[in-house]
Amino acid sequence: MTELITEPSRRRRRGPGVGRPIWMGRPPAVVLALKALALIVIVALIAFPFLIVVSTSLATEAEINAGGGYVLLPTTPTLDAYLQVLAGDVVTRAIVVSLGVTVVGTAVSLVSTVLAAYALSRRGTLLHRPLLTLVLLTFLFTPGLIPIYLMIKQLGLLDSYWALILPGAVSAFNLVIVRGFFMGIPGELLDSARIDGASEFRILAQIVVPLSRAVIAVIGMFYAVGYWNAFFSALLYLNDSTKWPLQLVLRTYVLQGTPIGKEAAEVGVLPPTQALQMAVVVLAIIPIACIYPFLQRHFRRGVLTGAVKG
């Protein structure tokens, strides 16, 4: 009597793991080794320039001259460049300005983006489709530099910190990402809250936002990095050098290589020019480098989920 062999029994006879998609199986040892090698190369390409920057900022003038302007590992490290940079009021004030603009700007951008994304994610809201179309059109057409400057001038925002925040308060890309994430939240959950008498703001604050912490953390990181690294808007809108953020002061250090403002009149023997430049670069990198590890775990979940849902 012929045995009837079904597909499930045939799969069991062939052993576990047979018939699974190729991406679900364990890669061969050669593939794992190549991945490890590629990862090591990428880490080296990123870490090597950073090591040179930190080492040069700690090096003496003799070591910098011997190394042709850059040092890999200083034999006699010194903090003279950092002490010189932080001794005056220019860099310290710029750090405070950058921190303030980053914190306030990120808060304004997150609140605006979350509110707009929630409104655009609920079908049937007022002017839902026209507003969404306008947001998507910004990917194709961007305003020119002169119109933006004239608008900032007409609003009286020149030489104001708000000129660094309001023009880029909402990013269309971030808005689309957050909207896609919100659309992935089950509508039945929101409907049950409405039946219980919850308002839209309460639904957003107590249901939608707690479920969207991953994407909000990612978008917040994007905004924070953008505000912290921005210098071109300050170069356009801030004529008062006492209001300059750290990135604009860093640009001045890189171009001039010497202290500016009050610092330039009070210095005696200066540390090497390259050491001063690299010290300001390190000071500009440290805040973001300290925050990123705490938010890195949210990046994959937040960005991918917001990009594919909806």
Side-chain angles (χ1 to χ4, degrees), residues 59-105:
T60 60
E61 186 172 5
E63 292 175 330
I64 293 177
N65 293 334
Y70 300 99
V71 178
L72 181 59
L73 290 175
T75 56
T76 56
T78 175
L79 296 176
D80 291 344
Y82 292 93
L83 295 177
Q84 181 62 61
V85 168
L86 297 176
D89 59 344
V90 175
V91 174
T92 52
R93 183 176 59 245
I95 292 175
V96 174
V97 170
S98 292
L99 287 175
V101 170
T102 300
V103 172
V104 176

Side-chain angles (χ1 to χ4, degrees), residues 61-301:
E61 186 172 5
E63 292 175 330
I64 293 177
N65 293 334
Y70 300 99
V71 178
L72 181 59
L73 290 175
T75 56
T76 56
T78 175
L79 296 176
D80 291 344
Y82 292 93
L83 295 177
Q84 181 62 61
V85 168
L86 297 176
D89 59 344
V90 175
V91 174
T92 52
R93 183 176 59 245
I95 292 175
V96 174
V97 170
S98 292
L99 287 175
V101 170
T102 300
V103 172
V104 176
T106 302
V108 171
S109 296
L110 279 180
V111 171
S112 304
T113 301
V114 169
L115 291 176
Y118 180 72
L120 294 177
S121 65
R122 303 300 103 189
R123 299 186 184 277
T125 55
L126 181 63
L127 300 177
H128 167 271
R129 192 166 296 278
L131 290 176
L132 181 59
T133 303
L134 290 177
V135 171
L136 296 178
L137 283 177
T138 60
F139 286 103
L140 303 176
F141 306 99
T142 57
L145 183 61
I146 295 178
I148 295 180
Y149 181 85
L150 294 177
M151 181 187 68
I152 295 297
K153 183 178 180 180
Q154 290 297 324
L155 293 175
L157 296 179
L158 291 180
D159 270 336
S160 171
Y161 294 128
W162 289 110
L164 310 180
I165 298 175
L166 296 181
V170 178
S171 168
F173 174 79
N174 295 339
L175 179 60
V176 171
I177 292 294
V178 179
R179 174 183 177 270
F181 196 98
F182 286 172
M183 292 184 68
I185 297 177
E188 295 80 5
L189 181 62
L190 307 183
D191 292 338
S192 62
R194 294 189 184 95
I195 294 175
D196 292 337
S199 63
E200 293 295 333
F201 283 103
R202 186 174 181 181
I203 293 174
L204 175 62
Q206 297 186 1
I207 299 178
V208 177
V209 171
L211 293 176
S212 309
R213 290 176 181 174
V215 70
I216 291 177
V218 172
I219 298 305
M221 186 67 181
F222 287 165
Y223 278 127
V225 172
Y227 282 117
W228 181 262
N229 290 331
F231 80 95
F232 189 64
S233 56
L235 183 64
L236 290 177
Y237 307 133
L238 298 182
N239 298 319
D240 187 359
S241 60
T242 61
K243 297 182 178 180
W244 283 1
L246 180 60
Q247 302 301 330
L248 191 52
V249 173
L250 170 62
R251 174 182 177 272
T252 306
Y253 264 89
V254 171
L255 294 179
Q256 296 182 1
T258 57
I260 59 177
K262 183 179 178 181
E263 294 178 358
E266 298 178 354
V267 296
V269 180
L270 285 174
T273 298
Q274 291 86 348
L276 286 172
Q277 294 172 344
M278 298 307 170
V280 181
V281 171
V282 173
L283 291 175
I285 293 175
I286 286 177
I288 297 299
C290 293
I291 296 175
Y292 180 80
F294 298 98
L295 299 179
Q296 189 270 342
R297 61 189 180 92
H298 296 292
F299 265 59
R300 180 178 179 182
R301 177 187 172 193

